[in-house]
Amino acid sequence: MSITVKDVQHVAKLARLQLSPEEEATFTEQMNAILQYAEKLNELDTENVKPTTHVLQVSNVMRDDIVKESLSQEEALLNAPEDEDGHFKVPAVLE
Amino acid sequence: MSLFQYRLPELHNMLHSKELSVSELTEQSLAAISERDGKVHAFLTLNEEGARQSARALDDKLASGAARGLLFGLPAGIKDNIVTKGLRTTCASKFLDNFQPIYDATVVSKLRQADAVTIGKLNMDEFAMGGSNENSAYAAVRNPWNLEHVPGGSSGGSAAAVAAGEVLFALGSDTGGSIRQPASYCGVVGLKPTYGLVSRYGLVAFASSLDQIGPLTRNVEDSAYVLQAIAGYDAQDSTSAKVDIPDYLSALTGDVSGLRIGVPKEYIGEGVDASVRETVLSALKVLEGLGAVWEEVSLPHTEYAVATYYLLASSEASSNLARFDGVRYGVRVDEGGGLLDLYHNSRSRGFGPEVKRRIMLGTYALSSGYYDAYYLKAQKVRTLIKQDFDEVFKKYDVIIGPTAPTTAFKLGSQTEDPLTMYLNDILTIPVNLAGIPAVSIPCGFAGGLPVGLQIIGKEFDESTVLRVAHAFEQNTDYHKERPQL
């Protein structure tokens, strides 16, 4: 299976990346090489193998539902590139 | 005379007995950085004033007779993907060029509680993605043993700062070998603890199921010393393990008689430089001389580890890095379009090529129609890789091999070929996939560059890993060699 520039453009859209035509060409070539290498995994029969999503046997870590102090509005907005009246500011979403 | 010749426990005692002040030690670290870092480029942000202030406060604390922490007065460098309150944290990315964290990572709080002095933030591959430190958006770190060579990645700044004698210890992070491989290239000790032993709270996530924070030091005793201070359960990290923390220093007995070592044939076979193989085999003879026994074993799925890793790590990275959107922090490129344009432009300008490549690969592997073929398949192969280790550990106490197939390569020699670069991590990656601990220690030189010996242990058995490393170190002098800068 090989991927085309069109596939790369589609993936870039999903990944919220704007690629230049040069980047599209380079990534097409490099991703093909890497994915071709990944085909190696198909040599293995994994029909009855359970996937390992995590090495630790932990599940559903919960804490008590206790009210705790949270970040102040000022702290939360400290690194915001743009803010207004205590909110993160973004361009208009609705026309 | 340089204070950096002493081990951390020795310095601790010297500070304790007032033979030395924290301010003096801090000044020596700052002076070494000012003298050498122009060549090495290990630091991204120097906390000069903050370090001096902490040093004065600690000297006052000593004078007042108050209780002192384990790392009292010891100068530390911190990899720049571990957040530090009020001290710029960039992940070596233009995306976070001006990012000022509003809280400390748990490991940083632990260093503070242990009275260490934070000297500054260390250079790395952007978002910890890379094996050579050439992916830093600021400067490529140079190997202190030969400035034309890479220090390894992604904790290259951490390894180089320790090797160059700029700080006494550093923290790094290891996702596929990012502590051990630079430790190997720079001739220092790098420990990747068992997944879950050290809290990841405040570590900027790359691949959450693989990332682990650990120390880079000049010798094994120092490594045990730092691990003691940073290990432990943390409720802030849902993947933190609830295990008892042993006394790692008392594990360093020097005794390895009767120890059973497995040496995977895949780790000393084809693809491993002859000089590296010879150096590692000589190291095994040292352990043999101390009464350990070694036999060749097999980890049959080793050849599948790199492909498995890049699919899993890239998938997790694409998901973790989705939060970088130019709205709440970091770079924002607003050219008057809508919100979607803002996302696209901010991410495209903020991320470097390696990060984009991995986001693309991960997004593809997780996308509709390909999930089973790539991501799920890789998770299943991960099970097989873990089972390989389980099988060997039924009979052996540790697994030993080289840390990397070669010594540090020349800057720029592999940048055009990501796949070749990825294959440098073939001997470290399986350990992350299995979540087990491993240390890299200096075991010799090849062509004037350090060679690293990798000692891999069972889950949460850092004590044995450190004991073996320490026994080797006690009977050799490689860790005492220093680069001429």
Side-chain angles (χ1 to χ4, degrees):
Chain A
M1 184 167 29
S2 75
I3 57 170
T4 61
V5 173
K6 215 175 147 204
D7 295 324
V8 166
Q9 286 166 342
H10 175 65
V11 174
K13 200 174 149 196
L14 296 176
R16 304 279 189 254
L17 287 170
Q18 185 94 56
L19 302 180
S20 68
E22 293 78 30
E23 281 177 316
E24 285 174 358
T26 313
F27 285 160
T28 305
E29 192 188 321
Q30 291 176 339
M31 282 173 66
N32 264 318
I34 296 165
L35 291 169
Q36 200 182 343
Y37 179 74
E39 296 290 329
K40 206 177 165 51
L41 300 187
N42 292 328
E43 292 169 9
L44 296 168
D45 177 9
T46 51
E47 183 71 26
N48 297 313
V49 179
K50 281 189 181 162
T52 298
T53 48
H54 222 267
V55 286
L56 284 182
Q57 300 299 313
V58 288
S59 59
N60 297 341
V61 177
M62 303 286 197
R63 68 166 171 80
D64 292 335
D65 188 15
I66 299 167
V67 178
K68 291 201 300 188
E69 213 174 306
S70 59
L71 292 178
S72 68
Q73 196 175 53
E74 199 180 301
E75 284 172 315
L77 291 169
L78 188 74
N79 283 289
E82 246 186 294
D83 65 292
E84 195 176 301
D85 301 334
H87 299 279
F88 294 103
K89 194 175 174 187
V90 293
V93 178
L94 301 172
E95 297 288 319
Chain B
M1 198 193 294
S2 169
L3 295 168
F4 281 68
Q5 64 178 310
Y6 299 105
R7 291 172 292 114
L8 296 185
E10 288 176 318
L11 283 163
H12 184 86
N13 290 339
M14 286 161 73
L15 290 161
H16 186 83
S17 62
K18 299 187 186 165
E19 201 178 316
L20 172 70
S21 75
V22 179
S23 295
E24 280 173 77
L25 190 56
T26 302
E27 288 305 328
Q28 191 159 97
S29 176
L30 292 171
I33 293 163
S34 120
E35 184 192 317
R36 296 169 211 158
D37 209 56
K39 293 181 197 163
V40 180
H41 306 295
F43 275 88
L44 287 177
T45 303
L46 203 53
N47 181 33
E48 213 162 339
E49 262 325 290
R52 287 197 169 108
Q53 267 176 28
S54 310
R56 281 194 295 270
L58 289 169
D59 279 329
D60 290 345
K61 188 173 182 177
L62 184 69
S64 75
R68 291 168 293 282
L70 186 66
L71 301 173
F72 182 83
L74 302 171
I78 297 170
K79 187 175 180 179
D80 209 25
N81 59 348
I82 298 172
V83 300
T84 40
K85 191 174 180 177
L87 185 60
R88 190 175 82 126
T89 297
T90 69
C91 292
S93 178
K94 290 285 179 207
F95 211 116
L96 292 175
D97 187 55
N98 56 4
F99 182 65
Q100 297 283 343
I102 48 177
Y103 67 99
D104 275 329
T106 296
V107 284
V108 174
S109 306
K110 281 179 175 267
L111 290 190
R112 283 192 210 283
Q113 279 158 20
D115 291 333
V117 175
T118 302
I119 296 287
K121 303 301 289 293
L122 295 160
N123 207 345
M124 53 186 281
D125 281 304
E126 185 177 2
F127 286 104
M129 296 174 189
S132 67
N133 225 298
E134 292 161 296
N135 297 328
S136 165
Y138 299 97
V141 178
R142 305 285 179 134
N143 190 314
W145 291 92
N146 183 332
L147 298 173
E148 297 304 308
H149 288 246
V150 302
S154 67
S155 309
S158 300
V162 173
E166 297 181 348
V167 284
L168 282 160
F169 72 94
L171 294 184
S173 66
D174 193 314
T175 306
S178 287
I179 288 175
R180 289 159 288 152
Q181 184 250 31
S184 169
Y185 285 3
C186 292
V188 297
V189 176
L191 173 71
K192 179 221 123 47
T194 308
Y195 184 85
L197 183 72
V198 176
S199 169
R200 291 184 302 111
Y201 179 72
L203 170 70
V204 179
F206 159 17
S208 312
S209 80
L210 305 163
D211 297 339
Q212 186 59 197
I213 295 173
L216 289 113
T217 57
R218 299 188 132 192
N219 59 64
V220 177
E221 193 176 347
D222 290 2
S223 186
Y225 208 64
V226 177
L227 182 64
Q228 200 76 53
I230 61 171
Y233 174 72
D234 178 18
Q236 305 261 50
D237 172 1
S238 65
T239 60
S240 182
K242 281 185 178 160
V243 289
D244 291 332
I245 305 301
D247 181 347
Y248 295 114
L249 279 174
S250 69
L252 310 180
T253 58
D255 181 14
V256 290
S257 57
L259 183 95
R260 293 158 303 170
I261 302 169
V263 178
K265 63 176 189 210
E266 294 81 4
Y267 284 30
I268 49 170
E270 207 185 325
V272 176
D273 259 17
S275 56
V276 169
R277 186 187 305 120
E278 287 313 309
T279 312
V280 167
L281 291 173
S282 303
L284 284 165
K285 285 205 181 92
V286 173
L287 291 169
E288 216 171 35
L290 295 169
V293 286
W294 71 269
E295 285 173 320
E296 203 167 274
V297 297
S298 178
L299 296 169
H301 296 95
T302 302
E303 62 175 305
Y304 302 100
V306 173
T308 303
Y309 172 82
Y310 278 95
L311 291 173
L312 296 180
S314 302
S315 298
E316 292 185 22
S318 76
S319 165
N320 278 322
L321 294 179
R323 70 183 64 147
F324 292 86
D325 56 10
V327 172
R328 288 150 303 148
Y329 42 75
V331 131
R332 177 185 189 119
V333 181
D334 187 357
E335 291 178 336
L339 187 59
L340 204 56
D341 284 341
L342 183 139
Y343 295 157
H344 279 130
N345 292 331
S346 302
R347 289 168 64 79
S348 303
R349 309 272 178 87
F351 292 138
E354 181 63 31
V355 175
K356 285 184 197 168
R357 180 158 46 237
R358 299 213 197 186
I359 291 175
M360 290 288 293
L361 185 64
T363 306
Y364 181 76
L366 291 175
S367 66
S368 172
Y370 299 108
Y371 178 88
D372 284 4
Y374 291 112
Y375 189 69
L376 187 65
K377 180 82 185 178
Q379 283 188 319
K380 289 181 168 189
V381 179
R382 183 178 185 175
T383 304
L384 298 176
I385 290 167
K386 189 161 172 27
Q387 285 171 351
D388 280 356
F389 281 109
D390 292 344
E391 201 52 42
V392 172
F393 281 130
K394 280 182 188 164
K395 254 188 92 181
Y396 299 89
D397 301 303
V398 288
I399 292 171
I400 291 186
T403 308
T406 65
T407 54
F409 49 90
K410 274 199 165 168
L411 275 145
S413 64
Q414 295 186 2
T415 37
E416 294 306 310
D417 185 0
L419 194 53
T420 303
M421 184 89 91
Y422 294 172
L423 287 167
N424 292 327
D425 299 337
I426 192 158
L427 305 176
T428 48
I429 279 174
V431 167
N432 298 76
L433 291 170
I436 53 185
V439 70
S440 176
I441 58 169
C443 73
F445 291 84
L449 289 163
V451 176
L453 184 74
Q454 183 173 212
I455 303 164
I456 304 167
K458 296 172 195 166
E459 219 168 74
F460 298 109
D461 194 13
E462 277 74 8
S463 294
T464 303
V465 167
L466 290 166
R467 174 163 62 90
V468 178
H470 180 252
F472 176 81
E473 198 183 78
Q474 291 302 294
N475 290 278
T476 53
D477 284 328
Y478 304 117
H479 65 290
K480 292 181 185 158
E481 301 271 342
R482 300 280 180 255
Q484 299 300 316
L485 271 167

